[in-house]
Amino acid sequence: MSKIIGSSLPNIPWVDKPENYKMPIWRYPQNPIIGRDAIECSNSVFNSAVVPFKDGYAGVFRCDSKSVSMDLFPGFSKDGIHWEINEKPVTFLGEDKEILKREYRYDPRVCFVEDRYYITWCNGYHGPTIGVGYTFDFKTFYQLENAFLPYNRNGVLFPRKINGYYGLLSRPSDTGHTPFGDIFYSRSKDLEYWGHHRHVMAPIREDASAWQSTKVGPGPIPIETEEGWLLIYHGVINTCNGFVYRVGCALLDIDEPWKVKCRSKYYVLAPYEYYECVGDVPNVVFPCAALTDADTGRIALYYGCADTVTGLAFTTVNDLMDYMKKYPL
Ligand code: BMA
């Protein structure tokens, strides 16, 4: 039995695993939970991040507009399933106007560390890089310096300092649709200067696990367990019809998170359902957030479906650990 180290969340959205279900992650039967036209301007609402907030939940949502401009929108929910998303995007306050200039913003992650909710996202600054900001209330948002030079995507913070440093996973990239990608770990004393970069994991270029042969990138905030950090990540294969995005999991060392202790050979979630296979970008499942309940080991996973709508799925820390150990790389 594996245990999550963290808070209890008795009202976590939850549906039991269907009987005789073979996969470690199962879907909310009424998926998608957020449709593409959830707000007036939106063409699509996907790759978004949610956290427990007050007596319910809050989040930062990626809404691409009907002019296909990518931006971040705050949202609120009582139950984690039905969401009210603001019609207006986040505007950031900050000390340096240069940093506040908006080119595009997408694929947010939200991470509570110490006393506030940090937001990291793919931020356009002469190419994609990792934007960093924070909020206390999901009303007023502050932007800090970008974590890196371009080009980088998928900045994912750790929920506590590790050996006195903030930790960040990311995936260096290029200006386009990046036909490569490894996950790296970086650390910082002040959330501004990042260094001590360490390689975490690479795509698997052979037959052993071809679904993750082109690139891999971190997904939700890593989940602290008694055995290490449970990382849910996306893996990509290039096909004659373009990229296919699936989901895998790995276990990282608790003190040296660049050391991979275990990694699944089989994917744990893949585009099977219609809304995952058909949309603006077909065959994409892209996880960006996970709610956890330390008492039960339950995990509610939020993921973008076909770059169009938002899905919800469920698993437990034991389901993922057991599957990873049954089918290790
Ligand atoms: C990645 C990102 C994601 C997107 C995915 C599939 O490079 O742009 O936002 O979901 O491609 O199109």
Side-chain angles (χ1 to χ4, degrees):
M1 292 295 270
S2 308
K3 267 191 81 75
I4 291 176
I5 300 172
S7 314
S8 47
L9 191 63
N11 63 343
I12 189 170
W14 189 251
V15 166
D16 284 332
K17 189 174 185 168
E19 237 173 275
N20 300 321
Y21 200 74
K22 296 282 181 294
M23 293 296 288
I25 297 184
W26 56 99
R27 294 164 180 79
Y28 182 62
Q30 281 83 46
N31 264 354
I33 57 161
I34 304 172
R36 64 185 306 163
D37 52 0
I39 57 174
E40 192 175 330
C41 73
S42 63
N43 164 74
S44 42
V45 185
F46 56 114
N47 304 0
S48 300
V50 311
V51 284
F53 179 67
K54 295 189 175 162
D55 58 350
Y57 299 92
V60 176
F61 293 82
R62 170 177 175 177
C63 303
D64 291 5
S65 73
K66 290 185 174 73
S67 66
V68 193
S69 154
M70 304 180 280
D71 216 336
L72 310 179
F73 291 68
F76 301 90
S77 172
K78 285 252 166 292
D79 60 6
I81 295 171
H82 302 92
W83 287 88
E84 293 282 334
I85 300 175
N86 290 6
E87 296 285 337
K88 287 217 172 76
V90 170
T91 47
F92 285 100
L93 307 176
E95 279 167 22
D96 191 335
K97 284 204 173 62
E98 175 70 9
I99 287 303
L100 300 179
K101 283 183 202 161
R102 178 191 163 275
E103 283 182 27
Y104 50 81
R105 299 177 175 140
Y106 65 82
D107 294 359
R109 314 304 201 270
V110 181
C111 186
F112 187 80
V113 195
E114 293 161 344
D115 62 347
R116 65 195 73 185
Y117 302 92
Y118 286 97
I119 300 126
T120 49
W121 67 94
C122 179
N123 190 39
Y125 185 74
H126 305 275
T129 181
I130 306 301
V132 185
Y134 66 87
T135 183
F136 293 99
D137 56 8
F138 290 87
K139 285 186 189 135
T140 310
F141 292 83
Y142 302 89
Q143 189 169 350
L144 303 170
E145 290 291 321
N146 292 318
F148 302 120
L149 291 170
Y151 308 100
N152 201 309
R153 292 191 174 94
N154 298 295
V156 177
L157 280 170
F158 282 75
R160 66 164 171 84
K161 285 184 176 168
I162 300 170
N163 302 319
Y165 291 87
Y166 296 100
L168 182 71
L169 296 171
S170 74
R171 197 198 79 198
S173 67
D174 64 9
T175 48
H177 295 297
T178 322
F180 61 86
D182 295 35
I183 300 175
F184 287 83
Y185 175 83
S186 310
R187 73 180 197 188
S188 171
K189 274 275 182 219
D190 56 7
L191 286 151
E192 179 168 345
Y193 298 99
W194 294 88
H196 209 87
H197 311 294
R198 294 286 180 271
H199 183 259
V200 179
M201 59 195 213
I204 306 295
R205 304 225 181 264
E206 317 92 55
D207 174 71
S209 194
W211 63 269
Q212 48 183 332
S213 55
T214 300
K215 49 183 169 177
V216 289
I221 304 309
I223 299 167
E224 187 167 8
T225 76
E226 279 180 348
E227 291 174 73
W229 296 102
L230 176 60
L231 176 69
I232 298 172
Y233 65 94
H234 63 261
V236 181
I237 185 174
N238 199 8
T239 73
C240 58
N241 258 334
F243 290 151
V244 177
Y245 280 71
R246 298 187 175 90
V247 178
C249 63
L251 188 65
L252 311 181
D253 185 82
I254 204 75
D255 294 316
E256 298 177 313
W258 55 93
K259 294 188 176 158
V260 179
K261 293 169 74 176
C262 192
R263 180 172 170 186
S264 64
K265 163 187 165 124
Y266 285 0
Y267 58 74
V268 292
L269 183 73
Y272 281 16
E273 296 295 332
Y274 185 83
Y275 54 88
E276 298 163 341
C277 300
V278 177
D280 284 359
V281 183
N283 302 315
V284 177
V285 289
F286 196 93
C288 284
L291 299 172
T292 59
D293 175 29
D295 294 344
T296 56
R298 290 175 173 179
I299 299 171
L301 186 69
Y302 293 77
Y303 65 107
C305 309
D307 284 12
T308 305
V309 297
T310 302
L312 172 62
F314 307 102
T315 184
T316 67
V317 64
N318 279 324
D319 277 279
L320 291 182
M321 296 281 196
D322 291 350
Y323 200 76
M324 203 174 0
K325 286 172 191 163
K326 190 169 172 194
Y327 301 108
L329 248 181

